[in-house]
Amino acid sequence: MKDFLLKKDKIKNLLISASEEWDTFVPWKDLGEDLQFVKLPGAGKEDFLNKLSLEYGSPLIPPKTIAFPQLELLFEFEEGKIKEKVPPPTKKLLFGLRACDVKAILFVDDFFRRNFEDIYYLNRTMDKLLVLVGCKTPPRDCFCTSTKTGPFLPVPRSLGEVRKEGFDLQLVDIGDSYLVEIGSEKGKEFIESYKSFFEVASKKEVELSKDAKKRAEEAITLKVDFEKAVKNFCEDKVSRKVYEKIAERCIYCGGCLYVCPTCTCFNVFDGKKGKRGERSRNWDACVFEGYTREASGHNPRPEKWQRTSRRYEHKLKYDYLTTGMSGCVGCGRCLATCPVNIGISQVIEEVAKNEKRISSLSGKD
Amino acid sequence: MKNEYLPYPARIKSIQRESFDTRTFKVVFVDEKLAKSFNYKPGQFMEISLLGIGESPISITSSPSGKGYLEFTIRTMGKLTRAINQLNAGAILYLRGPYGNSFPLEEARTKNLYFIAGGIGLPPLRSVINSAFDHRVNFGKVKILYGAKSPDELCFKEELKVWQNLTNTELLLTVDVPDKDWKGNVGVVTTLWDKTDMDGNRGIAYVCGPPIMIKFVVQKLLKSQFKERNIYISLERYMKCGLGKCGHCNIGGKFVCTDGPVFTYQQIKQFPDKERAI
Ligand SMILES: Cc1cc2nc3c(=O)[nH]c(=O)nc-3n(C[C@H](O)[C@H](O)[C@H](O)COP(=O)(O)OP(=O)(O)OC[C@H]3O[C@@H](n4cnc5c(N)ncnc54)[C@H](O)[C@@H]3O)c2cc1C
Ligand code: SF4
Ligand code: FES
């Protein structure tokens, strides 16, 4: 399949053009260093795009917020009458996603489609184009080469309707332009629709992209034996001691789960003022004590180690057993955000060793 | 795509007091078409809410043969259940569902049925008990073992009398704390084992109640030769959506709301101990 070239100085105009047709989301740096996926505004696009940042590490807040916001209105009511508040389905262009996040998005899409379809999530995300921009200098907490979810995804051999590897387009930084690889029919159509921004890539540029991919891969130094760990989890070889050790240190703030790109747990609650009110949902996390506590006071997971076990086994055992894909994409956000320096990578490392003692989590660092 | 989070208004037609903290509500969907077409299976639950107060899973206690209406027995536990128990006939409840799997009866044809309930565990069983009575000829003996904290806390007092007088049916009651008029058994549900013959060889058991009760009942059932796959247990877990999405009800890789709430003991045994299914 032909590869294309997108000159860096054309990106701004491409995004401005595309935003006529698509709700366009890009990694965007506001004040400070924090980066988030933000939608291009209706006016002032030029100025807005001055803060576009494609050379970021990885945004701490995952792009899952686009389809699964931290707080979401389900419906409003007034005097007993319900007003549905389902977001209208819109076409979304997610430009500048990292490989791990592309994998995570597809994983979460699949979850919200399983059994009951979640109209709030699916309306926000059904029709979308995923443009991956591979990491050039991966952050130190990432371990996506171990989870096989990055820094680039393999290019599918044929373009099916169903995304095979995940991305529609994959961009590789080769200096003053990006090499563009096509991952789906939809991605191909996008290039055709915005022809003037792309050119056909030469052999030399394809070679350059191979080098760039290799360099990015080599830059990821954090390695864990992911397969072994998942196997140990699935075979119940993880002792309670492992969880108790983590429990000694974890403060159960839930931060790691809020920033996790595949976490989907939520709570539902009502608010009311006079005769008007609303029902909403917001993110929740399985490490909280109240997460399973019933009205009677009975709590099946009263102890910290049980909740820690849940937290890791959900991702590394049950997700794998039910979907064939683990819920960890190696993005490293949990480690980056944790106030007491616990990351799933360390847990994986220890479980892969299958030792009773868990040194890197013992808190003496 | 249907909006599964949207509840439908239903009017309370009548209210029956069960005990100091528990009442049974007969409700009918305001939308007549919905009221007519609505179907469910015994053991399923609905998400019931009052707008502005909250939403909770509540078992359907009526049996599917009673067309056009639904019954729920609700015990005051917290914010929402207290508010519902203060309502009068004519008030509106908001419902969505039905959710979850059900107590299977097809497999129980020609077998003896054993229903074992503790406290607020009887309401979900009542649905399957009455379904069995609707097709009485299909089954052998029926035994209902039911325990409550006190005589006042026994639900469906009038209906219990009806069940007691049905042929080939045995009803055994017990309370933890008797009052001066109580002449029956005193003690937890498992003490009823001494009062009757529990034979698991041709028996199917349906169990619902607090986790501690379930644990002891299962031990007894296994001793009485009930097969693990013939013991059906309805589990309770904190639930927020009923759709397999919010995560709260998960045990191992399963969601109690969509994979359950009814599981066989054979299935429950395979849940990791630390998840404390029962
Ligand atoms: C499948 C199922 C069937 C049930 N059937 C019945 C029934 O027939 N009759 C009955 O009286 N009770 C039943 N319950 C228990 C009932 O759902 C709780 O007592 C109720 O949620 C308490 O809500 P509350 O607002 O009064 O209490 P609060 O303590 O104020 O609860 C706040 C919120 O927590 C959640 N919550 C708390 N406890 C539970 C719980 N045990 N299960 C699920 N969510 C909970 C609810 O969303 C509730 O809105 C059932 C529970 C389950 C899981
Ligand atoms: S961020 Fe760290 S302290 Fe907070 S819940 Fe996660 S592991 Fe525990
Ligand atoms: S109640 Fe939400 S997942 Fe089961």
Side-chain angles (χ1 to χ4, degrees), chain A residues 288-300:
Chain A
F288 296 147
E289 205 252 333
Y291 181 81
T292 46
R293 188 178 52 227
E294 296 162 20
S296 63
H298 172 72
N299 191 348

Side-chain angles (χ1 to χ4, degrees), chain A residues 80 114 118 284 293 306 313, chain B residues 5 52 94 238 245 248 274:
Chain A
R114 211 176 300 152
D118 190 298
D284 204 345
R293 188 178 52 227
Q306 286 178 295
E313 292 193 4
Chain B
Y5 295 89
Y94 290 81
Y238 186 100
K245 297 284 178 267
H248 284 90
K274 61 189 165 199

Side-chain angles (χ1 to χ4, degrees), chain A residues 91 113 135 158 196 202 271 310 338 364:
Chain A
K91 291 178 74 166
R113 222 175 267 136
C135 283
S158 66
S196 59
S202 70
R310 175 75 219 169
C338 180
K364 294 186 196 81

Side-chain angles (χ1 to χ4, degrees), chain A residues 65-77:
Chain A
T65 49
I66 296 168
F68 182 50
Q70 197 223 333
L71 176 67
E72 174 160 49
L73 182 62
L74 296 176
F75 56 78
E76 292 176 345
F77 49 84

Side-chain angles (χ1 to χ4, degrees), chain A residues 77 80 84 111 114 116 118 120 266-267 270 279 281 284 291 293-294 296 300-301 306 309-310 313 318, chain B residues 1 3 5 49 52 55 77 94 211 236-238 240 244-248 250 252-253 272 274-276:
Chain A
F77 49 84
E84 224 181 326
F111 172 77
R114 211 176 300 152
F116 290 99
D118 190 298
Y120 294 86
F266 61 82
N267 199 1
D270 285 15
R279 182 164 297 165
R281 67 174 171 193
D284 204 345
Y291 181 81
R293 188 178 52 227
E294 296 162 20
S296 63
R301 281 185 219 128
Q306 286 178 295
S309 148
R310 175 75 219 169
E313 292 193 4
Y318 300 117
Chain B
M1 205 185 317
N3 184 350
Y5 295 89
S49 60
E55 192 176 50
M77 290 302 296
Y94 290 81
E236 184 175 329
R237 281 265 157 154
Y238 186 100
K240 276 296 172 187
K245 297 284 178 267
C246 76
H248 284 90
N250 54 21
K274 61 189 165 199
E275 295 268 332
R276 309 226 174 116

Side-chain angles (χ1 to χ4, degrees), chain A residues 57-58 98-101 103-104 135 138-151 220 222-224 226 259-262 315-316 325-336 343-345 348:
Chain A
S58 87
R98 293 311 191 210
C100 52
D101 283 339
K103 282 293 189 196
C135 283
R140 68 181 171 130
D141 298 330
C142 297
F143 53 103
C144 62
T145 49
S146 304
T147 50
K148 301 203 166 62
T149 49
I220 296 169
L222 182 53
K223 306 259 184 229
V224 292
F226 191 70
V259 299
C260 176
T262 64
K315 301 273 170 216
L316 299 167
M325 183 183 159
S326 135
C328 176
V329 293
C331 69
R333 287 183 173 97
C334 48
L335 181 56
I344 202 167
S345 49
I348 290 166

